[in-house]
Amino acid sequence: MWQELIVAVIVAACAFHAATKYLPAAWRRQIVYTLARRGFNQDKLAKLFKTQSSCGDGCGSCGSCETPAAPDAPKDTGVTRRVIPLHVQR
């Protein structure tokens, strides 16, 4: 009896994980919408199912909608190339 209950919980957890990770985004949004209508917290569900607003919806979080800055001189990143000598021992 207990083994069957534990297996059922594990299978349900795996199905939930697969639903949050591998389902198409449209299906995940539909699941969030349906569960939110049933009384669950939509913000927490959206975070759990990873359906927050993305860069393409004009939210302004990625900065791609802004006008690009004027090109200046090449930036110095401070990275210098070093040669590491190898000493082969035979």
Side-chain angles (χ1 to χ4, degrees):
M1 170 68 182
W2 286 103
Q3 290 176 347
E4 294 169 353
L5 183 63
I6 291 171
V7 169
V9 168
I10 291 172
V11 169
C14 291
F16 180 74
H17 174 72
T20 60
K21 187 166 183 147
Y22 297 112
L23 281 179
W27 290 11
R28 292 190 315 242
R29 282 192 295 269
Q30 185 64 35
I31 291 171
V32 169
Y33 175 73
T34 303
L35 290 176
R37 289 186 63 196
R38 302 280 190 261
F40 291 95
N41 187 348
Q42 186 174 5
D43 293 333
K44 289 182 181 180
L45 286 172
K47 190 174 188 177
L48 186 64
F49 279 92
K50 299 172 185 73
T51 59
Q52 284 86 3
S53 57
S54 64
C55 185
D57 65 358
C59 64
S61 65
C62 66
S64 67
C65 299
E66 298 174 6
T67 57
D72 293 335
K75 295 180 181 176
D76 181 26
T77 59
V79 177
T80 58
R81 296 185 183 248
R82 294 178 31 193
V83 177
I84 300 173
L86 299 177
H87 301 285
V88 180
Q89 296 179 353
R90 296 185 188 188

